[in-house]
Amino acid sequence: MECIFCKIVKKEVKSKIIYEDEDIIAFNDLNPQAPTHILIIPKKHIESIINCKEEDVEILGKLAYTAKKIAEKLNITDFRIVNNCGKKAGQSVFHIHYHFLAGRRMGWPPG
Ligand code: 5GP
Ligand code: ZN
């Protein structure tokens, strides 16, 4: 079975798209943990950072650059980007994604 985020990339599963280009798509999280909670993902299926290859370096950089673009577009100056890598770190969808969280005060350290 194909992964849920690949289906979102192909528009087989509906999502509220915030940003899209040839390599990246960003959409609202189904279960938001902050007033703004967007998932930024590569269109290419890469399971997690631990599974990425050197050829993926550019796309990984683009994920962070997309966070900047989204922040500018939405007029957000303070935000957190989070990547959960591996089950014990909280990863539940095995297609790399950065959570873009904003709109409330964030605690540290994370739980
Ligand atoms: P993880 O737990 O892997 O770091 O994050 C996965 C995120 O994907 C969760 O925050 C979850 O709410 C979100 N998610 C899971 N399935 C869907 C879906 O079908 N659509 C959207 N928009 N978000 C999803
Ligand atoms: Zn995928």
Side-chain angles (χ1 to χ4, degrees):
M1 245 285 274
E2 204 177 26
C3 98
I4 186 77
F5 286 179
C6 283
K7 287 185 176 170
I8 286 175
V9 168
K10 290 192 210 155
K11 319 267 165 69
E12 288 170 11
V13 166
K14 246 189 101 189
S15 70
K16 172 82 178 97
I17 296 167
I18 305 298
Y19 174 86
E20 182 171 13
D21 65 27
E22 65 274 26
D23 299 315
I24 305 281
I25 190 164
F27 51 92
N28 279 340
D29 196 293
L30 205 57
N31 183 213
Q33 302 301 313
T36 300
H37 187 171
I38 297 163
L39 299 171
I40 306 171
I41 76 168
K43 288 188 169 175
K44 176 183 176 187
H45 181 88
I46 310 165
E47 273 190 22
S48 70
I49 285 185
I50 203 82
N51 297 111
C52 75
K53 302 199 174 84
E54 196 166 353
E55 70 196 36
D56 300 322
V57 163
E58 198 176 328
I59 204 102
L60 293 173
K62 242 188 134 176
L63 293 174
Y65 193 67
T66 302
K68 170 209 157 83
K69 286 205 268 196
I70 289 172
E72 283 176 352
K73 184 176 166 186
L74 301 182
N75 251 319
I76 289 169
T77 54
D78 300 69
F79 61 88
R80 179 173 291 178
I81 50 174
V82 175
N83 171 258
N84 298 323
C85 181
K87 258 202 181 91
K88 278 187 270 182
Q91 187 174 7
S92 63
V93 176
F94 286 80
H95 179 135
I96 290 183
H97 50 282
Y98 281 3
H99 297 260
F100 177 104
L101 299 148
R104 66 165 170 82
R105 188 164 279 278
M106 307 284 167
W108 192 263

